[in-house]
Amino acid sequence: MIRAEKLGKRFGDRWAVRDLSIEVARGEIFGFLGPNGAGKTTTVRMLAGMIAPTEGRAWIDGTEIGAASDDLRARIGLLTEAPGLYERLSARRNLDLHAKLQGLTAGRRAERIRASLELVGLWERRDDRVASFSKGMKQKLAIARAILHEPAAVFLDEPTSGLDPESARGVRDFIGDLRTAGCAVFLCTHNLDEARRLCDRVAIFKSSVLRLGTPADLERTVLRRRVAVRLADDPARYVAALRALPCVRAVDVQADRLLIELDDAERDAPTIVRALVGAGAAVQRVTEADALLEEAYLSIVGGGAGADANGRKHDAISDGRAGDGHPVGRERHADEAGRP
Amino acid sequence: MGRILALLGKELDELRHSRLIVSTLVVPSILYVALPLWLLGSGMVGGMLGEDALTPRELETLRQSLPQLAGLSANRVIEAFLVNQVLILFMLAPLFIPLTIASYSIIGEKQLRSLEPLLATPIRTWELLVAKALGAVIPGLLVTWVSYAVFAAGARLLVGGWLFEFMTSPTWLAAFALVVPLFALLAVGIAVVASARTNDPRAAQQLGAVVILPVSGLLFAQVFGYVLLGAWLMVIVAAISLAVDLCLLWLAVRLFDREAILTRWR
């Protein structure tokens, strides 16, 4: 649905985006993660046919962006970082303008405006001025505008930025619905937890793609897994015993618990529980703490595995897809006997 | 065409909801029409100035410059001269009204960050430019033409047919039909160029005001009697306005490029 081949954009001497090759399928949520100034917005603008690439090619739904970009934009929905709504006008009037610009007929306009406003829960407020809306309502209205014309591909730039938790959750649920509706969703976000929950795949990006894979792949491959063990007695007493085990990479003491870094948490957790019990420890709880996407992100963007902003080269760790698109929960609790 | 009309409708809707701009349009226009009509209707023009307000030489100069006044009494020449000055003031409206509207409209979009969602639709940038220009020009022209029509009708009612004929002479009709729209386009072109460089509508207006100063200067020179706008001077003003409009249009089209708006407008 969305495809880019060696896409690049240069402003003066500086490459904002270089060598971007990605593919986003219908019904997939693709996370695009990167720090401020990484070139995410430039990428979206190129893929949405709003600015011309300096090099490379891109396609939306099989049509190459470029000469036909004006018509191509009718198949794209874009949520910009700021809602960009006309505050003196009503919610319905805002959508009506965009429906007309997207070329919807009068009958279809009325139908789609109602459907979109109902979807984001704003139908009752349709004739109110946007200026009277809360930030969350404005964001929802901007989302309604982005999907008003039933685009095949939707680009969302920081969709939950600045929203309260309840509104953010509503927006996330809605993004999940877009996947169900068969949209290809290109999600730019700083919110790594959001990426982890929503995205089938993520690209960590800083001028070029540094890593690409499912959130779980990134977490697993970039960082080792850790296990947290809470004890009834002083955890420091068991550090030496744990360090003697070959599967243990590192041990930290944090208050009443031990944080143990392992090669493979699932394989090695029973071994460390046995060792602790054997050493006389009173194990209260064993928690397998997955490495967080945030840590993987910081490790990559912070200069660990990637490349420099204007240089080369990423190594894609995986191109796989998550089975159901929903990564496993962050923590899995084990019982006191140490079965994870 | 559909997209231009859609955006134009939005521009006019927004304008209707802006009390500041509506009051800026309506209040001065009412004053510009009502005050001179009151002066003419009350007979104060002749009363204040009297038959000997102008020297015979000045009267002769006026009669020569405005041939329609030949054979009229001194009082009527003075009344016609007053009307002439008011009509000149009306010609300033299509400069300042579109400048104000276009500055607020374009910079307003920049401040609201609503240009990017707009540019993400299939709209062409020339369509966007045309809709913005029409959204500023139409109210400016309407206000000017309605003021002119009301003033002419009022003058006929209060003073007489001879003044109406003077106000609707071919020179004045050409001025309002041709020069006024060219002035309005000039103001919009300036607003587009200025708006691309600033984020403050007032700064854009001030910048625009500096550029349209020569035009205002010419009109004020007429008000103070340094020049008299006859048919030929009107043709010259129209030709210069047209040339400047074309230059500004070329520049505005270059500035109103999708990529330039997204990446270079600050």
Side-chain angles (χ1 to χ4, degrees):
Chain A
M1 178 58 66
I2 302 170
R3 193 171 137 228
E5 263 181 24
K6 295 196 171 295
L7 205 62
K9 181 71 183 177
R10 193 176 59 199
F11 294 110
D13 294 335
R14 193 181 67 84
W15 284 94
V17 177
R18 192 152 201 199
D19 207 15
L20 177 72
S21 296
I22 51 163
E23 201 160 341
V24 183
R26 203 181 286 272
E28 181 183 11
I29 300 178
F30 184 86
F32 206 55
L33 275 60
N36 289 331
K40 300 191 297 292
T41 301
T42 301
T43 301
V44 167
R45 286 171 175 173
M46 279 194 288
L47 291 174
M50 295 164 74
I51 60 174
T54 309
E55 64 178 23
R57 302 164 76 188
W59 296 261
I60 299 286
D61 204 11
T63 305
E64 186 168 0
I65 60 168
S69 288
D70 285 334
D71 298 322
L72 189 75
R73 284 192 294 276
R75 279 183 266 167
I76 290 167
L78 173 67
L79 173 73
T80 48
E81 197 175 345
L85 298 158
Y86 298 109
E87 306 233 335
R88 288 196 198 108
L89 305 182
S90 69
R92 178 156 49 185
R93 186 70 184 88
N94 267 275
L95 294 194
D96 186 59
L97 167 69
H98 277 261
K100 283 177 179 167
L101 295 177
Q102 293 290 359
L104 302 188
T105 59
R108 186 93 184 106
R109 267 203 313 272
E111 183 189 313
R112 286 300 305 154
I113 288 170
R114 178 167 191 147
S116 303
L117 285 175
E118 280 179 345
L119 199 65
V120 296
L122 289 175
W123 176 246
E124 299 302 320
R125 302 285 306 268
R126 61 191 177 278
D127 292 322
D128 292 354
R129 276 190 185 199
V130 171
S132 69
F133 284 11
S134 69
K135 195 169 180 179
M137 289 162 75
K138 286 178 186 170
Q139 189 72 344
K140 285 178 183 173
L141 182 59
I143 291 174
R145 181 184 62 197
I147 51 111
L148 181 67
H149 53 297
E150 296 181 289
V154 180
F155 295 88
L156 305 171
D157 198 351
E158 302 289 349
T160 57
S161 167
L163 297 185
D164 62 71
E166 193 185 347
S167 300
R169 185 178 175 172
V171 169
R172 275 197 291 271
D173 289 347
F174 177 71
I175 294 169
D177 293 344
L178 288 177
R179 169 176 31 216
T180 313
C183 269
V185 180
F186 192 93
L187 174 69
C188 292
T189 182
H190 281 119
N191 187 330
L192 301 173
D193 185 50
E194 181 173 280
R196 197 174 195 276
R197 288 174 195 220
L198 279 174
C199 297
D200 300 308
R201 287 184 303 148
V202 294
I204 296 179
F205 183 81
K206 196 173 173 185
S207 297
S208 58
V209 175
L210 305 178
R211 295 274 180 168
L212 178 67
T214 66
D217 285 338
L218 289 175
E219 290 165 352
R220 200 166 36 241
T221 314
V222 176
L223 297 170
R224 297 184 188 93
R225 286 187 165 190
R226 288 178 300 187
V227 170
V229 181
R230 198 166 78 189
L231 303 176
D233 47 352
D234 181 13
R237 290 168 50 194
Y238 306 102
V239 171
L242 287 171
R243 283 189 177 145
L245 296 172
C247 62
V248 174
R249 294 275 178 173
V251 182
D252 282 330
V253 177
Q254 281 186 353
D256 63 345
R257 66 178 197 158
L258 290 159
L259 204 59
I260 307 159
E261 193 173 304
L262 304 163
D263 281 332
D264 184 332
E266 285 180 9
R267 188 194 64 199
D268 301 330
T271 307
I272 60 161
V273 171
R274 271 196 300 273
L276 285 167
V277 171
V283 177
Q284 289 182 319
R285 177 185 274 189
V286 179
T287 308
E288 183 194 21
D290 287 346
L292 303 178
L293 181 58
E294 181 178 338
E295 292 173 73
Y297 170 85
L298 291 173
S299 161
I300 294 164
V301 171
D308 65 284
N310 256 311
R312 317 311 292 177
K313 180 68 182 173
H314 59 277
D315 54 335
I317 55 167
S318 164
D319 201 22
R321 307 270 162 87
D324 60 0
H326 293 284
V328 292
R330 207 142 131 164
E331 292 188 337
R332 284 205 308 268
H333 295 289
D335 63 22
E336 290 199 9
R339 289 188 296 273
Chain B
M1 193 63 184
R3 286 189 288 257
I4 293 174
L5 290 177
L7 195 54
L8 177 60
K10 188 279 291 182
E11 293 291 319
L12 297 178
D13 257 8
E14 280 212 295
L15 189 63
R16 200 163 49 85
H17 286 105
S18 170
R19 283 185 196 150
L20 173 73
I21 296 182
V22 170
S23 57
T24 309
L25 295 182
V26 174
V27 175
S29 306
I30 292 173
L31 289 177
Y32 282 158
V33 174
L35 275 177
L37 281 180
W38 176 69
L39 280 174
L40 288 171
S42 64
M44 283 176 71
V45 176
M48 274 194 308
L49 299 174
E51 289 279 343
D52 53 357
L54 298 176
T55 63
R57 186 182 167 80
E58 286 168 334
L59 275 175
E60 197 48 41
T61 307
L62 277 178
R63 287 190 175 116
Q64 277 173 7
S65 306
L66 303 167
Q68 310 95 304
L69 306 181
L72 293 180
S73 69
N75 253 355
R76 290 194 162 184
V77 169
I78 291 168
E79 282 174 336
F81 184 66
L82 170 79
V83 165
N84 207 52
Q85 313 301 65
V86 172
L87 292 181
I88 295 287
L89 282 179
F90 283 176
M91 290 184 73
L92 286 174
L95 282 169
F96 287 101
I97 293 173
L99 179 66
T100 304
I101 295 174
S103 300
Y104 273 92
S105 165
I106 297 169
I107 294 175
E109 297 251 17
K110 282 169 81 173
Q111 288 172 338
L112 280 174
R113 298 173 71 182
S114 51
L115 274 174
E116 187 166 357
L118 209 56
L119 292 169
T121 70
I123 196 167
R124 273 78 170 163
T125 43
W126 69 265
E127 292 173 323
L128 183 59
L129 182 59
V130 168
K132 287 274 171 203
L134 288 176
V137 163
I138 289 172
L141 289 183
L142 277 179
V143 166
T144 308
W145 285 339
V146 168
S147 301
Y148 174 57
V150 170
F151 187 48
R156 180 181 191 148
L157 214 68
L158 294 170
V159 181
W162 69 270
L163 192 55
F164 180 78
E165 279 169 27
F166 170 74
M167 292 171 75
T168 53
S169 66
T171 304
W172 277 119
L173 284 178
F176 278 89
L178 183 68
V179 180
V180 159
L182 289 172
F183 278 3
L185 284 176
L186 178 78
V188 168
I190 291 165
V192 170
V193 174
S195 300
R197 293 282 173 264
T198 174
N199 280 322
D200 183 357
R202 285 162 299 184
Q205 281 177 272
Q206 283 160 5
L207 189 61
V210 169
V211 180
I212 59 180
L213 213 55
V215 182
S216 314
L218 179 69
L219 299 178
F220 278 111
Q222 151 78 21
V223 169
F224 293 110
Y226 293 109
V227 291
L228 278 169
L229 284 183
W232 274 110
L233 193 52
M234 210 63 93
V235 170
I236 291 168
V237 170
I240 293 171
S241 297
L242 181 64
V244 177
D245 281 355
L246 291 174
C247 293
L248 282 171
L249 181 67
W250 175 81
L251 193 58
V253 168
R254 285 174 66 88
L255 285 170
F256 233 73
D257 168 70
R258 191 181 304 268
E259 188 157 338
I261 293 170
L262 290 171
T263 60
R264 288 199 284 276
W265 280 31
R266 291 287 180 265

